[in-house]
């Protein structure tokens, strides 16, 4: 019997729809099959923005997830944020750090110390439309296809080995708000799928490319 026990933490900055979706999904899932034990323990939700709606959403979910609010808005606050974050990663023996709408940039040192352990979701088909406004940027550019990318984090913005990517077609009748809705809907599906692949150890990173095997 294989025991896929993994400890994870989630980092979020805002609305937290991806964070809540991940919490709901993995909190209800302990057994994958009769022969394998699948147990994902979400140890903490770390939020850098004290006004973020995600904080109350997590409070309202009845579970054992520790809620850690560590202010990090200005770059100067990053050192303390990462010190506390590293403390949590060590204390709870965290296997993966999941960025779910985490809108700050982690230092190269922190990323290198946790290489192949930090996973991010981005609302475009990377490497196109990096940055904070990926959905609007793609819409304004007039591309016909954009999408969602889940990737490992490396010390460069919105870059790193891609785990999964799926397209979203932009129709002429779409508004930017409707495109946002379509992207968020896909994000909720694809993030769970990508995380299951990683947490079940179905990947290998070779030459910066993620190989998925059964
Ligand atoms: C999501 O669309 C996520 O892909 C994006 O922020 C949004 C957060 O929504 N992340 C980035 O742009 C990272 N560069 P949520 O708070 O409702 O999950």
């Amino acid at each position: 019997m294989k025991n896929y026990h993994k400890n994870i933490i989630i980092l979020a900055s805002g609305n937290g729809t991806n964070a809540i979706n991940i919490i709901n999904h993995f909190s209800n899932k302990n057994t994958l099959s009769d022969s394998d034990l699948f147990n994902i323990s979400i140890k903490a939700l770390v939020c850098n923005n004290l006004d973020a709606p995600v904080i109350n959403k997590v409070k309202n979910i009845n579970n054992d997830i520790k809620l850690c609010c560590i202010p990090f808005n200005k770059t100067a606050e990053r050192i303390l944020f990462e010190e506390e974050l590293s403390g949590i990663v060590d204390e709870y023996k965290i296997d993966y750090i999941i960025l779910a709408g985490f809108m700050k940039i982690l230092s190269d040192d922190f990323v290198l110390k946790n290489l192949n352990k930090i996973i991010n979701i981005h609302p475009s088909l990377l490497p196109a439309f990096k940055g904070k406004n990926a959905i609007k940027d793609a819409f304004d550019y007039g591309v016909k296809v954009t999408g969602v990318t889940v990737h490992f984090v490396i010390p460069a913005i919105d870059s790193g080995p891609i785990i999964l990517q799926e397209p979203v077609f932009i129709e002429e009748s779409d508004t930017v708000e409707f495109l946002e809705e379509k992207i968020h809907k896909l994000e909720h599906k694809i993030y769970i799928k990508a995380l299951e692949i990683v947490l079940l150890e179905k990947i290998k990173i070779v030459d910066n490319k993620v190989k998925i095997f059964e």
Side-chain angles (χ1 to χ4, degrees), residues 111-191:
V111 171
L112 289 173
K113 223 173 85 191
N114 293 284
L115 206 59
N116 300 340
K117 243 172 119 161
I118 310 175
I119 299 173
N120 183 41
I121 188 159
H122 185 76
S124 76
L125 291 178
L126 289 173
F129 303 111
K130 297 177 180 181
K132 283 186 174 169
N133 301 309
I135 301 176
K136 185 168 184 305
D137 291 347
F139 184 84
D140 289 347
Y141 194 96
V143 292
K144 305 289 185 193
V145 188
T146 181
V148 175
T149 304
V150 181
H151 65 99
F152 284 103
V153 173
I154 60 167
I157 294 172
D158 294 326
S159 305
I162 291 171
I163 303 163
L164 284 184
Q165 236 174 359
E166 282 189 30
V168 170
F169 292 90
I170 304 179
E171 309 298 337
E172 281 180 14
S173 56
D174 284 356
T175 58
V176 71
E177 291 79 18
F178 188 59
L179 177 61
E180 254 168 30
E181 262 180 52
K182 291 201 287 190
I183 293 217
H184 287 314
K185 209 167 155 195
L186 175 62
E187 283 188 325
H188 297 163
K189 208 173 70 170
I190 193 178
Y191 215 177

Side-chain angles (χ1 to χ4, degrees), residues 14 30 34 56 90 99-100 106 118-119 134 154 186 189 191 214:
N30 280 325
D34 292 344
N56 277 329
D90 292 344
L99 310 187
L106 295 165
I118 310 175
I119 299 173
I154 60 167
L186 175 62
K189 208 173 70 170
Y191 215 177
E214 280 309 309

